[in-house]
Amino acid sequence: MPNPTQPLLRIDDVSVRFGGIAALDGVSFDVQAGQICGLIGPNGAGKSSLFNCLSRLYSCDSGAIEFDGHNLLALPRHRMAAIGIGRTFQNLALFNTMSVLDNVLVGCHARHHAGILRNAFRLPGTRGVEAAAREQANTLIEFLSLEGVASRAVGSLPFGTQKRVELARALAAKPKLLLLDEPACGLNHEEMASLGSLVLDVRRRFDVTVLLVEHHMSLVMGISDKVVALNFGRKLAEGTPAEVGTHPEVIKAYLGTDGAELDPTA
């Protein structure tokens, strides 16, 4: 049974090596339930490697990851959605020939389905599950302003719209922890401007904790409750956006110099 006094996510001394290269080197930090935690660092800092550990796409060489009372590293990757972890990807991972609605329904069925035999033979209970999934998918489509394209193939849509479809699919599994992997990547100026408000609205409406990897400092510093900075696989700093944004080692990692502070508009 999960302990409500414990953090939702605890990363403890996690290391990942590829040959002689340390992608992660003894990284530790906690994320409390309800927080938006920004994970920052230059290219190659280890951010995506950490996300892949949380998704169980990578195995850790050492350390521990606990999520909502579960030993994450003891579970197979296909269990991640069922225990409450949802994810978007920097490079979209959608079914391009399927409609927006069907892509979102995939997220619904990742956690709630009638079972293979019930679906195959249309046994009692199947229709109720399908109706509930469709209602949930339509609610998310409306929330993310996708009604006008719900029946269109995802591959025919603009990149920014596809990003919203992927977010809807991740939310469809009703995650407790949402991993957002560079959600601003490839967005235009107008889409960027509304992204911060959208993430805050997602946190409020769906009561979800967010771990965010992002290079746009204005977005991270504007919406995060705490920020963790990585560089060359090691944690440089952890704290409030103000504390991390003025940390000398973080400034040096980004700017290569001892500047006053990171420009939050960068």
Side-chain angles (χ1 to χ4, degrees):
M1 189 75 178
N3 186 340
T5 65
Q6 297 298 316
L8 180 67
L9 176 67
R10 170 164 288 167
I11 296 166
D12 184 18
D13 199 27
V14 167
S15 294
V16 174
R17 293 185 176 275
F18 299 104
I21 299 173
L24 294 170
D25 189 0
V27 173
S28 299
F29 66 91
D30 296 342
V31 180
Q32 299 293 330
Q35 279 189 329
I36 295 177
C37 178
L39 189 61
I40 67 171
N43 289 331
K47 306 181 298 297
S48 292
S49 293
L50 182 57
F51 260 36
N52 286 336
C53 289
L54 295 174
S55 303
R56 298 294 289 118
L57 298 176
Y58 288 175
S59 297
C60 301
D61 291 302
S62 61
I65 302 176
E66 296 178 8
F67 170 72
D68 197 28
H70 299 279
N71 173 9
L72 203 67
L73 302 183
L75 298 174
R77 65 186 61 167
H78 69 264
R79 288 277 296 151
M80 295 304 99
I83 65 171
I85 296 179
R87 178 180 179 176
T88 67
F89 292 81
Q90 178 184 355
N91 298 314
L92 293 167
L94 294 167
F95 299 100
N96 287 333
T97 60
M98 289 168 53
S99 71
V100 168
L101 175 59
D102 286 340
N103 268 274
V104 180
L105 283 170
V106 168
C108 296
H109 292 309
R111 191 162 187 180
H112 302 289
H113 54 84
I116 295 174
L117 289 178
R118 283 185 179 273
N119 282 324
F121 294 102
R122 307 302 293 174
L123 296 176
T126 302
R127 289 185 179 179
V129 172
E130 290 292 336
R134 190 167 291 268
E135 181 180 0
Q136 182 185 355
N138 285 327
T139 297
L140 288 165
I141 285 171
E142 181 181 357
F143 171 70
L144 290 163
S145 301
L146 294 166
E147 306 101 304
V149 296
S151 62
R152 289 181 55 184
V154 165
S156 69
L157 300 174
F159 187 79
T161 305
Q162 292 185 36
K163 282 274 194 177
R164 282 185 282 135
V165 175
E166 190 175 44
L167 177 57
R169 187 181 65 183
L171 291 171
K174 298 183 178 179
K176 298 174 184 177
L177 175 67
L178 179 61
L179 308 176
L180 296 180
D181 192 352
E182 297 198 29
C185 178
L187 299 187
N188 61 38
H189 182 74
E190 183 179 345
E191 292 165 337
M192 265 286 300
S194 63
L195 180 58
S197 296
L198 176 60
V199 174
L200 290 169
D201 201 17
V202 164
R203 191 251 303 260
R204 177 191 60 80
R205 177 161 177 172
F206 298 99
D207 190 27
V208 66
T209 303
V210 178
L211 183 58
L212 166 74
V213 165
E214 186 51 67
H215 285 289
H216 290 81
M217 289 297 99
S218 58
L219 176 61
V220 176
M221 299 303 183
I223 67 173
S224 298
D225 300 300
K226 72 179 288 184
V227 177
V228 177
L230 302 179
N231 194 31
F232 294 114
R234 294 186 176 185
K235 185 177 76 174
L236 290 182
E238 175 182 0
T240 67
E243 290 168 343
V244 173
T246 57
H247 194 285
E249 290 300 318
V250 176
I251 295 167
K252 187 174 182 180
Y254 269 94
L255 305 179
T257 183
D258 297 322
E261 62 181 87
L262 284 176
D263 180 0
T265 64

